[in-house]
Amino acid sequence: MEQCGVSHILTFDLGTTYFKVCLFDDSGRLVAVRRVVPPAVRSPGGRYELPVDGFERVLVGAVRELNDAVAGGVSGVHAVCFATQANSFLLLDKKDQPLTPIILWPDERACPAEPVIQCLSGLKDYYNTTGVPAMNGQFMPAKLRWLQNHEPGICRQASRLCLISDYLTLWMTGQHVTEAGTAALTGLVDIHQLRWWPDACEHVGVHTGYLPAIVRAGTDLGPISPDAAALFGLPEDCRFIVGCLDQYAGAIGAGNVTPGGVSETTGTVLATIRCADRFNRDAKPGVFQGPGHSEKTWYQMVFGDTSANLLEAYRNNLPGKPGYEALCDMAADVPAGAGGLRIDANAPAGTDAMFIGLTDRHTPGQRVRAILEAVARALNQQIQDLCGDDRPGAIRSVGGAARSDLWLQIKADVLGLSVQATECPEPTSLGAAILAAGRLRGVGMDDLVSDWVRVRHESLSTPGNHRLYAEQVR
């Protein structure tokens, strides 16, 4: 049985592929984690939905598993917090009963977006007000418009709209509240005033009356409800601390909480986040901006499809589908440059067509190395888009790819920067725990991060390899 002792923060990471429920102790150490697959359902017409009863069942089950697995159970939990996906939502009636399943952000029923959604970003001062560069059919407003057009009866009954983390909040506290950074990713929020922007909401026909109140990450909503305490087996004095967008939580869990800091996650997509002290009105196209954990904190973020998905597609076409560690071992002794191979990110992933300059003499290790280098170059471009000439001296790396020291070294060589991987295997959940602990203790985020975020490995740039990579892009 795992030892809990003084563990006191419970976090819910509401990811798309997995939900993760974690316990942290009062020094920021991960005591236990349970990973569960949400019972999402794909159906014709591009629908991708999560039944509400399934959402509730897997979270309660995961907490109960933790209670059984940890000495002392969850009886010593002082607070709960969350990290969440954006643009996944549901509608509730006047009795707070679900009218829809949770419609997940990858749902494509509204793709391509109708013109009124596509034109939203054309509103005067749209980007400077919302921090969202453009809208598409996977954003909440597009799917809400689809419901209004195709299921108007449901929309007429709706009394509340909840993003997925808003529903968790309502369920556990009875309060209809949303976190500012998560809400901002709907493209309907005035991120300077932390309020729903009437012009944008009116443009797409969203009634502000059934939208949740917007609060900043780290807000203390008080004790959870007695019903929630009984259901989850938590103490009745356990407090609910508002979490944040999962990408922002990952940045916090990487220690990226002061202006100028940069962190990256290499997963299904490549995401790079810069912490800033102000909104940048001159940001490059494609940069998302949103409110952070304090009035003086902003997060600037870029996404890209050149990421670990390319490595996954390649391995899926190999005999036996080797693990990622085995793939990186293949490339361990391959010199920088991958034998001249480059990657065409627009070609079908996993096929020979994705390799530029491929010959029969190229080894599987060179192919893997070419993929790792392509992602590092994409990361370099994202940092350039976010930072321009004001590049950091080091970046923090989190996510599954951060477990590969080879990939960290390649990134360091391409970037010409120190790349630091953090110790905690669940940095997004750690970020949520830091939010909660900071609020409980009344201490600054900087101080807490210096104690709780630990660097596992640092890769320093190799001058010769950095020059080689720099020459390749000239």
Side-chain angles (χ1 to χ4, degrees):
M1 178 174 287
E2 295 159 288
Q3 294 298 310
C4 181
V6 292
S7 86
H8 69 290
I9 295 177
L10 178 73
T11 62
F12 297 96
D13 179 357
L14 306 178
T16 307
T17 305
Y18 292 99
F19 289 168
K20 301 174 186 178
V21 182
C22 295
L23 274 174
F24 290 88
D25 68 18
D26 63 356
S27 67
R29 296 283 183 183
L30 177 63
V31 174
V33 59
R34 288 297 178 270
R35 298 175 181 86
V36 292
V37 178
V41 178
R42 292 186 182 273
S43 55
R47 297 190 180 203
Y48 192 23
E49 301 172 329
L50 175 58
V52 177
D53 59 350
F55 171 82
E56 296 174 347
R57 183 178 65 254
V58 296
L59 291 183
V60 171
V63 174
R64 289 178 176 175
E65 286 182 15
L66 283 180
N67 184 66
D68 294 340
V70 175
V74 295
S75 61
V77 171
H78 296 166
V80 298
C81 195
F82 64 79
T84 184
Q85 57 186 281
N87 282 298
S88 298
F89 73 101
L90 74 162
L91 299 178
L92 305 175
D93 66 15
K94 293 181 179 179
K95 297 182 178 180
D96 288 337
Q97 295 302 303
L99 293 167
T100 67
I102 299 171
I103 301 173
L104 299 171
W105 70 265
D107 183 291
E108 296 182 338
R109 74 185 69 187
C111 296
E114 61 178 281
V116 70
I117 297 296
Q118 295 175 353
C119 294
L120 181 60
S121 59
L123 289 179
K124 183 180 179 181
D125 289 331
Y126 179 79
Y127 179 71
N128 287 333
T129 302
T130 67
V132 174
M135 185 76 66
N136 62 41
Q138 290 186 324
F139 282 67
M140 178 272 283
K143 286 183 274 257
L144 185 58
R145 287 282 297 187
W146 188 96
L147 289 174
Q148 292 168 347
N149 292 332
H150 294 85
E151 300 183 22
I154 287 178
C155 292
R156 283 194 293 269
Q157 296 177 63
S159 181
R160 298 189 199 267
L161 182 149
C162 287
L163 300 174
I164 187 170
S165 53
D166 306 344
Y167 184 71
L168 175 69
T169 304
L170 181 67
W171 180 27
M172 296 194 75
T173 70
Q175 299 182 55
H176 191 209
V177 168
T178 192
E179 185 269 324
T182 306
L185 263 290
T186 66
L188 301 180
V189 174
D190 181 335
I191 60 176
H192 305 279
Q193 301 295 324
L194 299 193
R195 66 185 181 99
W196 298 100
W197 189 27
D199 290 1
C201 292
E202 181 180 355
H203 180 86
V204 297
V206 174
H207 305 295
T208 56
Y210 70 13
L211 296 174
I214 298 175
V215 301
R216 197 176 291 277
T219 297
D220 185 350
L221 296 184
I224 61 176
S225 71
D227 287 346
L231 182 64
F232 285 94
L234 295 168
E236 289 196 2
D237 61 354
C238 174
R239 305 190 75 81
F240 191 97
I241 309 299
V242 175
C244 65
L245 185 69
D246 50 10
Q247 296 290 354
Y248 295 170
I252 295 169
N256 179 14
V257 297
T258 56
V262 176
S263 56
E264 66 91 10
T265 305
T266 303
T268 304
V269 298
L270 178 67
T272 305
I273 294 181
R274 181 176 184 266
C275 184
D277 60 2
R278 61 178 63 86
F279 183 89
N280 181 8
R281 292 179 175 269
D282 299 316
K284 290 285 188 70
V287 174
F288 289 80
Q289 300 189 67
H293 52 272
S294 72
E295 293 181 1
K296 297 181 179 180
T297 305
W298 295 82
Y299 281 114
Q300 301 161 349
M301 176 171 54
V302 286
F303 300 97
D305 293 329
T306 300
S307 191
N309 59 315
L310 300 182
L311 191 61
E312 180 179 11
Y314 176 67
R315 74 178 282 269
N316 288 341
N317 286 330
L318 293 178
K321 295 183 180 179
Y324 296 110
E325 184 176 351
L327 288 174
C328 289
D329 286 344
M330 292 179 189
D333 296 325
V334 175
L341 279 185
R342 299 291 291 268
I343 297 298
D344 180 357
N346 296 317
T351 67
D352 285 350
M354 71 183 286
F355 296 100
I356 301 171
L358 181 65
T359 70
D360 293 339
R361 296 188 300 276
H362 284 108
T363 66
Q366 288 173 320
R367 299 183 193 206
V368 172
R369 176 99 191 192
I371 294 171
L372 304 186
E373 291 179 347
V375 176
R377 292 189 188 95
L379 173 60
N380 190 46
Q381 184 59 56
Q382 289 191 352
I383 293 175
Q384 185 63 31
D385 290 344
L386 284 174
C387 303
D389 294 332
D390 187 23
R391 291 165 71 90
I395 69 166
R396 292 286 174 88
S397 182
V398 297
R403 291 193 288 269
S404 168
D405 291 351
L406 172 64
W407 211 343
L408 294 171
Q409 186 61 55
I410 290 172
K411 289 174 179 176
D413 289 344
V414 170
L415 300 175
L417 303 173
S418 164
V419 178
Q420 302 167 347
T422 55
E423 179 182 286
C424 182
E426 300 297 340
T428 300
S429 298
L430 176 61
I434 289 171
L435 277 172
R439 177 58 60 187
L440 289 175
R441 298 181 182 185
V443 300
M445 201 69 70
D446 295 359
D447 293 336
L448 200 56
V449 160
S450 66
D451 290 337
W452 281 32
V453 180
R454 305 166 180 96
V455 173
R456 175 192 68 80
H457 178 83
E458 180 177 24
S459 294
L460 301 176
S461 179
T462 307
N465 285 348
H466 179 60
R467 284 194 297 270
L468 186 150
Y469 290 129
E471 289 170 358
Q472 287 179 339
V473 298
R474 289 176 183 171

